[in-house]
Amino acid sequence: MPGPDKETDLMEKVEAFLSDLKRGGSGAGPLRGSAETARETTALLRKITAQARWSSAGDLMEIIRKEGKRMTAAQPSETTVGNMIRRVLKIIREEYARSRGSSEEADQQESLHKLLTSGGLSEENFRQHFAPLRANVIEAINELLTELEGTTDNISMQALEHIHSNEVIMTIGRSRTVEAFLRDAAYKRKFHVIVAECAPFCQGHEMATNLSKAGIETTVIADAAIFAVMSRVNKVIIGTQTVLANGGLRAVNGTHTLALAAKHHSTPLIVCAPMFKLSPQFPNEEDTFHKFVSPHEVLPFTEGEILSKVNVHCPVFDYVPPELITLFISNIGGHAPSYIYRLMSELYHPEDHEL
């Protein structure tokens, strides 16, 4: 049983992570990448599993849900945190089912039968005590962390299947995953990348600099020129902040414009998104979907006379509907937007969609 010192240490680590999350979302975008956030969240949940006081799977799930609610409330726009909490809850369910000697799938079918006959599911079936459960859950979380470590490599390994010689590729803003994807293809293929600058934060400039350093022919264009240039583009490859339950995207502002232009010119739109970005959220959940930041990049505070007469909204994200997307490339392969619901059921338990 963990001692009080360990519990105090654990609480301090949770509080430090929460304050990091709050600070991370205060600027023009997160200070760290989603992959790093996913790894940190999972490592913290492993620490909670190892050091918190619990005797059954039900107790552990309650602790993780409680801490999970605090983490997601600290930064609602960072859906990766909620996704990792749901993955860990699914792991606990699977390990508990394995300890009982039944499979998760059989449990799901049984629970559906119970739902129809008794009118509701009870948490009673998670109250049984199994001594090796803690070690098994920690081992499964370690496997999840190993999977997270290799997500970008697994996506970039597929680059040569999608990028061919002398193609013109368009992207927007800066995505570490897309950058790795294009760099990987550049080892064997010669192609040209057009980067939309993604105003007002202009992360596209950084992306273009990094790609040109890797020896890739790169051109930066203004967002207003996207439609004009699209006719000579072979493929559009973008990253995203979140993949939503309906197969749509919550991506950096300007992505919807790019997707509409691609659709008009029948240009394939490929989205590089690791599995940890897959969220059971829907686009109509307004409060957590939008995030607005200070518009000083667009209209600086020195323009006081104009500022007093106008309202300037500066959203960080765009919603891209699934019908504008051709293909998702994740760390486990390529999928059509219509297949997202199937992946969702494999990753998360239906009861965990609402934390």
Side-chain angles (χ1 to χ4, degrees):
M1 190 63 77
D5 287 352
K6 275 193 173 178
E7 288 209 346
T8 313
D9 175 52
L10 182 62
M11 285 300 109
E12 281 173 7
K13 285 224 162 41
V14 172
E15 291 304 327
F17 181 67
L18 289 174
S19 64
D20 258 15
L21 277 177
K22 284 175 184 164
R23 277 203 306 275
S26 58
L31 294 177
R32 56 156 88 80
S34 296
E36 205 178 320
T37 307
R39 285 196 295 270
E40 282 182 27
T41 308
T42 312
L44 186 60
L45 293 173
R46 179 179 60 183
K47 209 171 213 24
I48 291 171
T49 306
Q51 294 182 5
R53 290 172 183 270
W54 56 274
S55 57
S56 68
D59 295 346
L60 178 58
M61 283 161 76
E62 274 171 30
I63 293 166
I64 284 180
R65 273 211 184 92
K66 184 170 140 271
E67 294 302 337
K69 277 179 183 162
R70 289 175 65 207
M71 289 179 200
T72 47
Q75 190 50 259
S77 66
E78 189 52 86
T79 48
T80 309
V81 176
N83 297 344
M84 297 329 294
I85 291 156
R86 291 181 187 97
R87 285 288 289 270
V88 170
L89 287 169
K90 170 97 168 171
I91 283 170
I92 297 164
R93 288 173 187 275
E94 284 175 346
E95 291 305 324
Y96 181 81
R98 201 169 286 132
S99 301
R100 273 179 59 200
S102 64
S103 73
E104 214 329 334
E105 282 76 15
D107 260 27
Q108 272 188 1
Q109 286 166 7
E110 188 188 2
S111 66
L112 182 62
H113 174 69
K114 277 183 191 165
L115 187 67
L116 295 168
T117 52
S118 64
L121 287 167
S122 68
E123 284 284 307
E124 287 303 307
N125 43 357
F126 289 105
R127 296 291 166 210
Q128 219 171 320
H129 176 70
F130 293 105
L133 187 64
R134 193 185 295 261
N136 292 348
V137 170
I138 290 169
E139 192 184 330
I141 294 175
N142 285 338
E143 284 171 17
L144 175 58
L145 277 165
T146 310
E147 181 197 315
L148 292 174
E149 290 289 337
T151 48
T152 307
D153 292 342
N154 290 340
I155 290 172
S156 52
M157 273 163 58
Q158 302 169 57
L160 292 173
E161 295 170 26
H162 300 280
I163 296 175
H164 308 294
S165 293
N166 302 319
E167 278 194 330
V168 178
I169 311 285
M170 189 185 272
T171 187
I172 188 166
R174 179 169 185 236
S175 160
R176 290 176 179 86
T177 313
V178 173
E179 191 184 313
F181 190 80
L182 295 171
R183 276 167 175 266
D184 222 81
Y187 289 127
K188 298 244 178 102
R189 307 264 155 87
K190 197 168 171 53
F191 53 92
H192 183 177
V193 178
I194 297 171
V195 184
E197 66 179 2
C198 194
F201 312 118
C202 297
Q203 298 137 328
H205 293 186
E206 192 186 341
M207 176 80 155
T209 308
N210 294 348
L211 291 177
S212 59
K213 278 179 188 166
I216 300 168
E217 191 186 339
T218 313
T219 309
V220 179
I221 61 165
D223 297 343
I226 288 173
F227 191 83
V229 176
M230 188 59 76
S231 57
R232 53 184 294 260
V233 170
N234 299 100
K235 276 187 190 78
V236 176
I237 301 176
I238 57 168
T240 180
Q241 209 264 349
T242 308
V243 179
L244 299 161
N246 64 340
L249 302 181
R250 185 173 76 159
V252 71
N253 204 8
T255 310
H256 190 213
T257 310
L258 182 69
L260 286 169
K263 184 79 172 173
H264 181 84
H265 288 283
S266 300
T267 306
L269 180 86
I270 296 172
V271 181
C272 294
M275 294 303 284
F276 61 76
K277 290 192 175 180
L278 192 58
S279 168
Q281 260 191 334
F282 279 93
N284 52 1
E285 292 166 27
E286 294 293 331
D287 52 337
T288 53
F289 188 86
H290 293 296
K291 179 181 168 189
F292 293 91
V293 291
S294 166
H296 72 91
E297 301 272 357
V298 186
L299 202 62
F301 295 114
T302 47
E303 305 278 351
E305 210 174 306
I306 304 170
L307 274 176
S308 59
K309 295 173 186 161
V310 293
N311 282 334
V312 185
H313 297 287
C314 191
V316 178
F317 302 120
D318 249 356
Y319 168 61
V320 182
E323 54 270 19
L324 300 180
I325 298 157
T326 312
L327 184 73
F328 282 102
I329 299 175
S330 75
N331 45 303
I332 59 168
H335 309 286
S338 56
Y339 191 71
I340 293 297
Y341 80 97
R342 185 80 188 90
L343 296 174
M344 199 79 66
S345 64
E346 284 173 21
L347 289 181
Y348 313 122
H349 193 277
E351 284 173 43
D352 299 329
H353 286 188
E354 287 293 323
L355 283 176

